[in-house]
Amino acid sequence: MSKTYNVAVCGATGVVGRKMLQVLEEHDFPINQLTLFASKRSAGKKLDYKGEQLTIQELTEESLKPPIEIALFSAGGDASKHFAPIAAANGVVVIDNSSAWRMDPEVPLVVPEVNGTVLTSDEKIIANPNCSTIQSVLPLAALQEAFGLKRVVYNTYQAVSGAGQAGLDDLKNHTTHKFPYSINDNVLPQIDVFLENGYTKEEEKMINETRKILALPDLRVTATAVRVPVANGHGISINAELEQDFDISNVKEVLANYPGITLVDDPAHDRYPLQTDANDTDDVLVGRIRRDDSVPNGVNLWVVADNIRKGAASNTIQIAEDMVRRELI
C-alpha cells in the first residue's frame, strides 16, 4: 500500500482554502487524516470532504505538530509569519500561499513544472508564488529554455476573485468595500498598495518573483497590474524579448509541449484563451502568439489561468504531490 499523509489545511473557510479541499479530492491526494483550521470565529463549523463532514478547528500555536506532516496555508501573511515557523520547528512541511516567505532567500519559491527540482527533503517552508506570476512563468520558462530571455513586459487583467470574497462581493453587489472605486464598468490600474517608485505591490511581486523562479536575477522585467470586472480567471499580456531569433511555428511547438500549458491559438477560427475556458482547470492557456517587430526577437503572448485554482490551490497541492512523488516528505 502506498504511503498516506496527515494533512492540514489552514484557512480552510476562505475562497482558496475551499478550492484546496476540492483539488485534494479531485487529485486523490494520499491523505490518511485531514484536519481543517481557521480563525476562532469559524471554529466548530463544518466543511465537506469526500462526503464526510469535517469540523473546523481554531488555528493555535499548539495545532501544527505531529501527527500532522503537511500543512497547506492560505490564512494570510500575518498568520503565515506567526504559525509557519512553529509548524516547521515541529517537523511539519508548510506550503504557504501568502507573500510572507516568497522573497526570503532561504525559502524556495516554486512552480513545480518550472523549478520543482529546487525542492529537497530539508525544506520545511515552501512558498507558493503570486497567482499572476504562476501563470506567467510557465510560458516564460519554456521560452527561456528554448531561446533565452532578455526582457519581459507584463500587462495583467486580473479577476476580482484575486481579492478574495470581498472582491467578488463588490462585483456582485456594486459596492466599494474592497476596491477604492466601483469595479463595475471600470478597470482599476491598482492592485495592492502603491510604493514610492510608483509601482504597486502586486507589480513588484511579479517582477521579483519572476526573477527568483526563473533564476534570472538580472532579467529586465516591468509590469502594470489591472483589476477587471471579471469574477474569476486572470488574463495576462506578455511581451518578451528573446536572446535568439525564432520561427513562430517553433515557438508554438515549444509552448504546446511544455508541461502545464495548453495551446489555444487558432486565429482563423477566433480561438484564443478565455477566462471561461480556464475556469476550474489546472492548465495555463496560451495563445495570440505573434512576433513583435518593434524589437529584435520580440514575441507577444496572451496567457489565461484560473487564479484561484492553478494560481493558488492547485499549485500548492502540486508542490506537495511533487515532494511526495520524490519521497522528500
Side-chain angles (χ1 to χ4, degrees):
M1 182 180 294
S2 60
K3 184 178 179 181
T4 58
Y5 296 82
N6 297 320
V7 178
V9 175
C10 304
T13 57
V15 173
V16 174
R18 291 172 185 267
K19 184 62 68 173
M20 283 181 177
L21 296 181
Q22 177 191 335
V23 174
L24 284 168
E25 182 169 346
E26 290 180 3
H27 284 209
D28 197 23
F29 190 87
I31 291 176
N32 175 52
Q33 183 175 8
L34 179 62
T35 307
L36 307 184
F37 293 109
S39 63
K40 184 176 182 178
R41 67 178 179 273
S42 295
K45 295 180 181 178
K46 295 181 182 294
L47 289 174
D48 181 80
Y49 180 75
K50 290 190 173 182
E52 181 182 356
Q53 292 290 302
L54 301 181
T55 302
I56 297 167
Q57 303 178 34
E58 180 186 357
L59 181 61
T60 69
E61 293 185 356
E62 297 300 315
S63 301
L64 297 170
K65 57 186 179 183
I68 293 172
E69 297 164 279
I70 303 169
L72 310 177
F73 265 74
S74 187
D78 289 342
S80 293
K81 288 178 183 177
H82 182 76
F83 290 107
I86 295 172
N90 290 332
V92 177
V93 174
V94 174
I95 307 174
D96 179 47
N97 260 284
S98 79
S99 61
W101 303 98
R102 290 175 186 160
M103 297 314 300
D104 187 319
E106 301 301 318
V107 174
L109 182 66
V110 176
V111 177
E113 301 94 331
V114 175
N115 67 333
T117 55
V118 302
L119 294 169
T120 72
S121 59
D122 294 329
E123 314 296 352
K124 294 303 178 187
I125 300 177
I126 300 104
N128 195 61
N130 186 44
C131 50
S132 49
T133 306
I134 289 172
Q135 71 186 73
S136 299
V137 295
L138 266 79
L140 288 177
L143 295 176
Q144 176 194 0
E145 290 177 11
F147 310 104
L149 276 178
K150 290 182 67 175
R151 183 173 185 258
V152 175
V153 180
Y154 290 131
N155 287 280
T156 77
Y157 303 73
Q158 295 180 227
V160 298
S161 59
Q165 188 60 49
L168 288 163
D169 290 343
D170 267 4
L171 178 65
K172 178 181 178 181
N173 301 322
H174 292 244
T175 52
T176 56
H177 298 308
K178 179 63 178 180
F179 304 122
Y181 302 98
S182 174
I183 191 63
N184 302 91
D185 300 319
N186 276 325
V187 297
L188 307 180
Q190 176 190 356
I191 299 180
D192 214 318
V193 297
F194 281 101
L195 306 175
E196 289 185 5
N197 62 5
Y199 284 77
T200 64
K201 191 174 180 181
E202 179 81 0
E203 292 158 354
E204 286 279 279
K205 288 177 187 176
M206 290 193 72
I207 292 167
N208 294 328
E209 291 176 23
T210 297
R211 291 169 175 158
K212 182 174 179 178
I213 295 166
L214 297 180
L216 295 173
D218 298 321
L219 180 65
R220 292 180 292 163
V221 188
T222 189
T224 300
V226 179
R227 189 75 71 189
V228 297
V230 171
N232 195 56
H234 289 350
I236 301 177
S237 171
I238 301 178
N239 177 270
E241 186 179 351
L242 308 181
E243 294 278 1
Q244 303 172 26
D245 196 9
F246 57 86
D247 182 85
I248 283 293
S249 62
N250 193 15
V251 169
K252 292 182 181 182
E253 182 181 6
V254 165
L255 292 168
N257 291 328
Y258 199 83
I261 290 177
T262 295
L263 190 69
V264 186
D265 193 86
D266 185 7
H269 296 93
D270 299 333
R271 288 290 294 132
Y272 37 78
L274 298 172
Q275 278 91 333
T276 49
D277 293 334
N279 192 53
D280 218 17
T281 65
D282 290 334
D283 268 13
V284 172
L285 312 184
V286 182
R288 292 298 321 277
I289 300 165
R290 61 209 186 275
R291 185 178 290 274
D292 173 12
D293 290 321
S294 71
V295 294
N297 306 329
V299 64
N300 288 301
L301 315 172
W302 175 246
V303 181
V304 171
D306 185 327
N307 53 291
I308 298 299
R309 186 162 176 134
K310 178 56 180 173
S314 289
N315 198 75
T316 302
I317 291 161
Q318 286 169 328
I319 292 170
E321 288 172 332
D322 198 35
M323 297 186 77
V324 165
R325 183 169 52 251
R326 294 165 55 201
E327 299 182 345
L328 301 179
I329 301 177

